[in-house]
Amino acid sequence: MRTCSTSLLIALALLACTMLSSCSPFAPQQREPQPKSLPTTYTLYPPTAPHQEIPWWQQLGGDELDQLMTTAFSGNFTLRQAWSRVEQARATTIITGSDLWPSLDYNGNASHQHQYKDDQHTRTESFALGLVGSYEIDLWGRIRSQTTAQRREQQATEEDWRTARITLSSEIAGNWLNSVALQQQYTIIERQIKTATNIVELTQLRYLEGQATRSDLVERQQELHQFEQSRLELEQNLSQYRYDLCLLSGLAPGADIQVNQQQLPALTPLPPVGVPADLLAYRPDVRAAGLRLNKGDWLVAAARADRLPAMRLSADAGYSSTRFADLFDNWLANLAASVTGPIFDAGSRRAKVTRARAEADELLAAYEETVITAVNEVESALLDERKISEQLAAVDQQIERRHQSLDNAYIRYLNGDDDYLSYLIVKLSVDTLQRERVQKQRDKLLARVALHRALGGTTTNSQNRLQ
């Protein structure tokens, strides 16, 4: 009867301890979801924008850019490193969470001993087989807080992986746009070199006939040389951008990566964004900073719980015998409980709490900085696109006026009022403005890429799904 009462008391004590360990008296309070200084609206953003359900880069490059993205996502070194960190964090979460469960180990040994003494031979054998278990009752939620903190770190690492994807996609798109722009400029400068060559030839004829000076001929020759030098620079830059695309794709320089598109794409309507607070859900780096802030709060809870006593249970059971045949006839079981707690640690645990709170304050400042930086990047990208659009419109006006001058020069040439050389000079200036327009168009597209990056990619959920 006494044995039954003792077992019942032990069972009730274990149940009470388990119920106590299921709560965390030092759990952190919920923080505000966004900094107080966050603006309510974007000052430069239009009130409405259409929602897009396709990956953002397909709005720029179609199949060619999409193929580059697919290659890069599977081979990029930085992205692979980020994924390895995700797997490491997942494993660490399992390791940390295992402390919430009892541990159970087995052991077994056998020995065979011979002894010779005074012409006497003695043989001794022993066999043992047992189980050893231990469990720390998480009375104050210390282990649970540490596990929750590590789970937040794992989630933040997954968001880092998503951030790496967004960064990679923006870099791929930027290199691709630069390559297309260079190819488009290369076509124009080839046309300019042909025109400049004709101008040099005509000027040389005029010089031989005494209708042009030596300085006029040298000036036209230098102009042709500048165009040829610009063509060499375009070739060099085009090769460099292709090398960069190879590196971003995890390939060696010179790999078979082709950029065949010859014209820059047209811009689509602005992507949807809503209000600045939406970045808390859109941008993975903001989510990662928020998760790490929450991790810091849980580490404060763990440090506070570590100042209180800890209760541990241990149990072992086993069989032992001097004969293997009788091993299971002799057994022993033991159940023990222990309580440990600090009496004097020279302020070590209190200092750990202070340090954990300071680290949480640091993470809070980092989170607020990340949010404000994200809003600033959106505003800057919108401002850049708007201002570049104004510059592009000004260049278009210049091209239109220069085309009118070109038409007039051609009419004067046909009427015999002017020579063909004047017409070629005006045509050369038109092509120079066309090159400038390509640069402005590229800059506007790069600003759109920066906007998509600032908005967190604005892709569908399937694009950011973990492997």
Side-chain angles (χ1 to χ4, degrees), residues 396-412 423 426 430:
D396 286 337
Q397 292 178 0
Q398 295 181 41
I399 292 176
E400 183 179 358
R401 289 193 294 267
R402 196 60 58 86
H403 269 295
Q404 294 175 357
S405 299
L406 183 63
D407 294 338
N408 293 333
Y410 186 69
I411 293 174
R412 288 196 303 270
Y423 169 77
V426 177
V430 172

Side-chain angles (χ1 to χ4, degrees), residues 244-284:
D244 292 341
L245 284 173
C246 290
L247 178 61
L248 291 172
S249 301
L251 303 174
D256 187 19
I257 286 187
Q258 299 294 328
V259 178
N260 298 319
Q261 186 159 328
Q262 300 295 322
Q263 297 291 325
L264 287 170
L267 271 180
T268 57
L270 287 170
V273 63
V275 296
D278 292 335
L279 286 181
L280 303 180
Y282 289 159
R283 281 186 56 137

Side-chain angles (χ1 to χ4, degrees), residues 174-429:
N175 277 272
W176 180 81
L177 287 172
N178 280 309
S179 298
V180 174
L182 287 177
Q183 291 183 155
Q184 191 170 344
Q185 286 182 312
Y186 191 87
T187 302
I188 298 174
I189 205 168
E190 283 282 323
R191 187 166 64 239
Q192 283 187 296
I193 290 175
K194 183 177 180 181
T195 303
T197 301
N198 293 333
I199 291 175
V200 169
E201 293 174 352
L202 290 175
T203 305
Q204 189 171 10
L205 289 176
R206 289 169 59 88
Y207 170 71
L208 293 176
E209 295 175 356
Q211 298 178 359
T213 63
R214 178 68 179 175
S215 61
D216 292 335
L217 178 59
V218 172
E219 181 180 354
R220 298 307 177 187
Q221 289 174 340
Q222 289 178 346
E223 192 174 48
L224 175 60
H225 177 71
Q226 290 176 356
F227 286 129
E228 291 174 343
Q229 184 68 26
S230 297
R231 179 175 61 180
L232 293 175
E233 293 176 356
L234 288 176
E235 292 173 351
Q236 177 186 356
N237 293 334
L238 185 59
S239 298
Q240 186 60 55
Y241 281 124
R242 287 179 177 173
Y243 288 160
D244 292 341
L245 284 173
C246 290
L247 178 61
L248 291 172
S249 301
L251 303 174
D256 187 19
I257 286 187
Q258 299 294 328
V259 178
N260 298 319
Q261 186 159 328
Q262 300 295 322
Q263 297 291 325
L264 287 170
L267 271 180
T268 57
L270 287 170
V273 63
V275 296
D278 292 335
L279 286 181
L280 303 180
Y282 289 159
R283 281 186 56 137
D285 61 334
V286 174
R287 294 197 297 268
L291 288 165
R292 289 193 168 95
L293 173 58
N294 187 252
K295 166 193 170 182
D297 290 337
W298 280 104
L299 289 178
V300 172
R304 294 177 63 191
D306 192 43
R307 301 181 63 185
L308 298 177
M311 178 178 292
R312 293 177 176 83
L313 299 178
S314 62
D316 61 86
Y319 298 91
S320 62
S321 176
T322 58
R323 294 179 57 194
F324 183 78
D326 300 332
L327 177 61
F328 295 100
D329 294 335
N330 184 19
W331 62 273
L332 176 66
N334 179 50
L335 176 64
S338 64
V339 177
T340 59
I343 296 178
F344 176 75
D345 60 2
S348 173
R349 286 178 173 82
R350 180 179 298 177
K352 289 179 181 179
V353 174
T354 303
R355 182 182 64 185
R357 285 174 173 166
E359 291 174 349
D361 292 338
E362 178 186 0
L363 292 171
L364 174 60
Y367 171 73
E368 293 177 344
E369 181 184 17
T370 303
V371 174
I372 298 302
T373 300
V375 176
N376 179 71
E377 289 177 354
V378 175
E379 293 277 13
S380 297
L382 290 169
L383 177 63
D384 289 345
E385 183 172 335
R386 175 172 295 184
K387 292 302 180 183
I388 294 173
S389 297
E390 296 174 358
Q391 298 171 16
L392 185 59
V395 173
D396 286 337
Q397 292 178 0
Q398 295 181 41
I399 292 176
E400 183 179 358
R401 289 193 294 267
R402 196 60 58 86
H403 269 295
Q404 294 175 357
S405 299
L406 183 63
D407 294 338
N408 293 333
Y410 186 69
I411 293 174
R412 288 196 303 270
Y413 166 69
L414 293 179
N415 293 333
D417 298 332
D418 209 343
D419 55 15
Y420 189 61
L421 181 60
S422 300
Y423 169 77
L424 291 179
I425 293 175
V426 177
K427 183 175 183 298
L428 195 64
S429 65

Side-chain angles (χ1 to χ4, degrees), residues 29-102:
Q29 296 181 351
Q30 186 70 25
R31 290 184 181 268
E32 291 293 329
Q34 63 189 44
K36 296 181 180 180
S37 57
L38 191 66
T40 56
T41 58
Y42 288 107
T43 58
L44 297 173
Y45 202 80
T48 59
H51 184 67
Q52 301 290 340
E53 287 294 339
I54 62 175
W56 66 268
W57 58 80
Q58 289 186 359
Q59 304 172 34
L60 299 177
D63 295 338
E64 183 174 82
L65 185 55
D66 193 53
Q67 180 61 40
L68 289 174
M69 294 292 180
T70 301
T71 304
F73 286 156
S74 62
N76 180 260
F77 299 114
T78 301
L79 198 60
R80 287 161 55 187
Q81 293 174 50
W83 179 251
S84 296
R85 287 191 288 270
V86 170
E87 293 183 327
Q88 294 171 39
R90 288 177 172 177
T92 304
T93 301
I94 296 175
I95 294 172
T96 306
S98 64
D99 292 337
L100 289 169
W101 301 89

Side-chain angles (χ1 to χ4, degrees), residues 93-160:
T93 301
I94 296 175
I95 294 172
T96 306
S98 64
D99 292 337
L100 289 169
W101 301 89
S103 64
L104 183 63
D105 302 317
Y106 66 89
N107 58 65
N109 61 76
S111 64
H112 188 85
Q113 181 178 359
H114 291 268
Q115 183 179 6
Y116 291 91
K117 184 177 181 182
D118 298 333
D119 296 331
Q120 296 293 326
H121 178 209
T122 304
R123 185 177 67 179
T124 305
E125 293 181 341
S126 64
F127 303 91
L129 182 65
L131 295 174
V132 179
S134 63
Y135 176 61
E136 178 178 348
I137 301 174
D138 194 20
L139 291 174
W140 320 111
R142 178 183 64 84
I143 301 176
R144 191 174 300 275
S145 297
Q146 292 176 339
T147 303
T148 304
Q150 176 54 38
R151 190 175 297 115
R152 296 295 181 269
E153 177 61 28
Q154 173 196 327
Q155 294 168 346
T157 306
E158 293 171 353
E159 297 299 338
D160 291 341

